[in-house]
Amino acid sequence: MAIHADIGSIMAADGGSFSLGLPCVFSPKSRQYLALCAQDGRLRIWNTDIKTLNQEYVPSAHLSATCTCISWGPCRKAKEGPQRKKRKSEAGQVENQVDLLALGTAAGSVIIYSTVKGALHCTLDGSHSGVVNCVQWHPEDCLLYSGSDDTHIVEWDLQTGKARCKWKADRAPVTSLCVSPDGKLLLSAGHTIKMWDLETKEVYRKFTGHSTAVTTLRFATTRPPDSNGLYFLSGAAHDRLLSVWQVREDGKDKNSVVSFNLTDEPHHIDLFTSNSKEEALRLAVVCKDGQLHLFEHFLNGPCKKPLSPLCTVQMTGVEDSPIPVPLLAAALTTDTHSLLLAYGNHLQPVMERVEVNTAERHVCLTRDVHTTLSLTMETTVSKVKTPVVNAKSKVVVPGLPGHQAPVKGALGSEKRKGTDAKEMSIEERLGKIEMSSEKGVKGAPSLQTDNFAVLLVQGLESKDASILNKVFQTRKDMLIKKTVARVPLPAVLPLVEEITKRMQGHPYTAVLMVRWLKAVLMQHTSYLASLPDLVFQLGVLYHMIESRVKMFHKLTKLHGKLYLLMTQVATSSNEVKDVDHTAKLVYEEESSDEDNATGDEGLPDEDSDNWEEDETMEDKAEEGMRMESKVTGDSDIEPGNESEEE
């Protein structure tokens, strides 16, 4: 999954924001606390001095509306009014105490968390219709600014908990915000970088920006804009250059004046601003690849070539083949050679103050992350009590007095009728499993469950791949459930590690391992929850599952579009090929052939000939009859008529 940083804090005294990924930022000024949100949606605040988890907050919608950005509020002095008297030791702490923490969510709301109360302060919602990408505090007033995917900027009043003003900032989503040190100007990033006058809410200046989404905006100087001494820097996604812009009186400030070279896109930035031309800008940038780059530069006009880092810090493990340890965040201190680093993973980061020799161009720090993870949770956060065991203590376990209960006793202690008391070998157990599965003998499921549980424990202890493969190949959910239920508690963690290792392999194997993982989580939840290092034990599994499913939604959409496209192509191709132009049914009349043979005019020739033959036949018949009448003496003329003629 890709992570984009957005640090929109003002100077080193104000908190930053880190959006569109896993937010992680140090508290302002003292750097006493580190606030971060991991993949599980929980807000965790770590104490950097004693390296303990100070507070943990779970938002009500942490799964559906995950945290997208974090910003610490500026340090506030004690409120005026009737209050109880403070001790001298408490007075300084109250004045510099960090209280409020703003969290932007994917649901379009902003959560305000109080670190003093350890509870939710208020929720700001109803103005944004998209994901909140960045939140930024005003340095003096109780105001908060938020930018969202809905292309709008909202000005919130923390005293009333309602929006004071809302205006459209760009045609593209607002990805980063930053308020000037004097609280009069506001930088916003969308398609371009705009500088707003907070009093009139009008655009003061426009800058070209980057070709990709701007994720970082920071003011680099505290000088007024009318002196040509106001500078700010910006970073973008997939951009290995950190650009510095100058606000000029003549308005000729469309392009950047200085660029800093990076090895990857910036994820976390901390800086000490420059108050004059004689004071250099100190900059610490943590990139996506986990490296830290330190810069020091005097801002006094343009510089043609990109500047290389003064020093690059990288961390590796202590293995034979060293593996890079990613840096999460870095904070500068008043001492130029001292740094506060946070590295490891977001679920349980490691915080350390280190001395860095900036005279060396590249510094590689070697750390054993597994042994360094000695962070403990305070009793106010974790209610799980871990007993303190010394050398004189004696651990009592179930079993006979003075004897330790065997791990496998709960599995194979029961003797069945008709079986020998001698323990069967692994080969015999595998053979019985195959025979019971093939023959389907009555009572085979209970025998299989016991054998599977014993074999599973033996395979985990001996790390025999053949035994584990035989056990993990089953697909029966009831058999898996009963087998996991009979596994002893000391074998639960090795089983989870084996399942995690196999899920990283072929997807077919992962499908089978998901059933086993589900059974383990359902049967042994109480035991896993009591482990003090549960976060470290399940961290790899959680990251792997998160990486597997993060593309599922996009793949589902792509599958639907491709299916629709292929269906249309197949339908159109079938219509072209299957067209048959021959008639399926032809009806012919009887007279059609005669009409076609003779033409349109007259009667048919054959019929005319027949009529002539009929006439000649009639004439011949009449002559024959006359001849017969003459022979017989008959006459056609009547006697009366003959006499008249005579």
Side-chain angles (χ1 to χ4, degrees), residues 420-480:
D420 298 331
K422 184 179 179 181
E423 186 178 359
M424 292 183 293
S425 63
I426 297 177
E427 185 177 359
E428 293 174 352
R429 293 182 186 276
L430 290 174
K432 284 198 172 186
I433 292 175
E434 294 178 355
M435 292 174 61
S436 60
S437 61
E438 292 177 359
K439 296 181 180 181
V441 183
K442 186 178 181 181
S446 61
L447 178 64
Q448 280 187 341
T449 302
D450 294 341
N451 286 340
F452 266 100
V454 175
L455 286 174
L456 183 58
V457 175
Q458 291 178 351
L460 293 174
E461 291 180 354
S462 61
K463 297 183 179 180
D464 192 338
S466 60
I467 300 177
L468 295 176
N469 291 337
K470 194 69 178 180
V471 175
F472 286 141
Q473 283 178 358
T474 180
R475 292 176 173 269
K476 299 180 180 179
D477 294 334
M478 186 58 64
L479 181 59
I480 295 174

Side-chain angles (χ1 to χ4, degrees), residues 9-16 26 28-29 31 72-75 136 139 218:
S9 63
I10 52 173
M11 304 189 300
D14 297 321
F26 286 100
K29 288 188 177 180
R31 315 294 184 180
W72 286 95
C75 297
Q136 180 60 50
R218 292 292 298 271

